[in-house]
Amino acid sequence: MTSPLTTPNTTPHDPAAEDLQRRREAISALGHELRLLVDATVRTAASPEALHLLADDVRTLTGAFTGPRRAPADIPAVDEFPGGVRMYSPVTGPGSPLAPPLHVTPAADGVAGTCTLGIAHEGPPGYGHGGISAMLLDELMGWACTAAGMPGMTTGLQLRYHRPVPLQTPLHLSARITGTDDRKIFVVGSITTDHDRSATLVSADGTFVAPDPDRARSLFPSLREET
C-alpha cells in the first residue's frame, strides 16, 4: 500500500485510474513476496547443494521478466514525480525488495514515518546498519520539504548515532523544517522505537536545496515534456 501522504486522488470509474491502481497493486504484491524472499535468503543456513538449486530456480524466475525495460533516467509510468508515489523507492516503495518499506504520514509539525527493519538491513548483529538509518532520515526529511510545498535535493546531512537501532522492532521517525534561506531548506529528523518515543536513537540535521527550473530539467530530462 502507498502511504496517505503520497496516495493520489483518483476519479471513480476512470478506466485509466483503475488500470493504474491494478498495476500498483500487482507491483506491491510482487514487492511483498520479494521482500520475504530476501529475508529468507539472508537468514538461511541451508546446505551449499540446496543453495545452488535455489540459485537455479531464481535464475529461471529472473528470465521470466521479458519485454521492454526502462532506462535509469526514465520515470516509471506508475510513479508521480516529483512529490508523489514512488513505487520502487528503496525506502518507501512497496514494489522494492530493498525497502522496509517506510510508511509516511503527515504530522502536526512536519511528517512522520513508521517501519520495521529486517535482517537484510543488519549492520552490527541484531541492529540496523548506520547507512540504513541515514537513508531513512534522508528520505523522510525530503518528504518534509515536499509536504511544505518546497521539494528539494539533499546537499548536506549530518547524523548523530545515540543508540543502536534494533531490528524487527517497530520504529517511529519524524522530520520537520526549521528554517529557509532563499532556496535552502533546513530540516531536522530523528528515529526512535515506536514504544518509546522519548529515547532518540538517531538524530539528523539536513540542508536541502530546491533546484531552479532549468537545473531541474537538466537533472531530470524525462520531465522536459511536462515542464
Side-chain angles (χ1 to χ4, degrees):
M1 296 294 290
T2 53
S3 67
L5 188 63
T6 59
T7 300
N9 293 322
T10 57
T11 303
H13 309 302
D14 179 345
E18 291 176 354
D19 179 67
L20 177 60
Q21 183 63 24
R22 286 194 298 270
R23 288 182 60 82
R24 285 176 172 166
E25 289 173 354
I27 290 168
S28 298
L30 178 59
H32 174 73
E33 296 303 327
L34 288 174
R35 286 189 290 276
L36 294 179
L37 176 61
V38 169
D39 182 74
T41 300
V42 299
R43 295 173 65 124
T44 186
S47 68
E49 292 77 17
L51 293 177
H52 280 301
L53 290 173
L54 289 166
D56 290 339
D57 290 340
V58 172
R59 190 176 301 112
T60 299
L61 180 61
T62 301
F65 285 86
T66 59
R69 299 190 182 191
R70 63 184 177 94
D74 292 343
I75 300 171
V78 291
D79 279 9
E80 294 178 354
F81 180 81
V85 175
R86 301 296 306 281
M87 292 299 295
Y88 299 108
S89 162
V91 185
T92 60
S96 170
L98 308 176
L102 181 69
H103 183 76
V104 183
T105 56
D109 59 350
V111 292
T114 55
C115 70
T116 300
L117 299 181
I119 293 182
H121 306 114
E122 188 174 55
Y127 298 97
H129 192 288
I132 298 295
S133 296
M135 184 171 68
L136 292 172
L137 284 169
D138 181 43
E139 178 77 6
L140 191 68
M141 293 162 78
W143 274 115
C145 296
T146 298
M150 299 179 289
M153 301 180 66
T154 316
T155 61
L157 188 64
Q158 182 177 5
L159 278 82
R160 288 173 293 280
Y161 295 89
H162 305 276
R163 299 173 177 83
V165 176
L167 300 177
Q168 299 180 321
T169 301
L171 301 175
H172 176 82
L173 292 82
S174 63
R176 60 182 177 86
I177 293 174
T178 58
T180 60
D181 180 9
D182 193 18
R183 292 188 294 110
K184 290 184 179 180
I185 310 153
F186 305 105
V187 192
V188 295
S190 64
I191 301 175
T192 69
T193 60
D194 193 48
H195 76 273
D196 185 3
R197 299 185 185 182
S198 66
T200 300
L201 306 178
V202 184
S203 59
D205 292 280
T207 302
F208 291 70
V209 171
D212 61 59
D214 290 339
R215 179 61 171 161
R217 283 189 288 269
S218 173
L219 289 170
F220 309 112
S222 296
L223 291 177
R224 284 179 179 169
E225 295 182 359
E226 303 175 12
T227 56

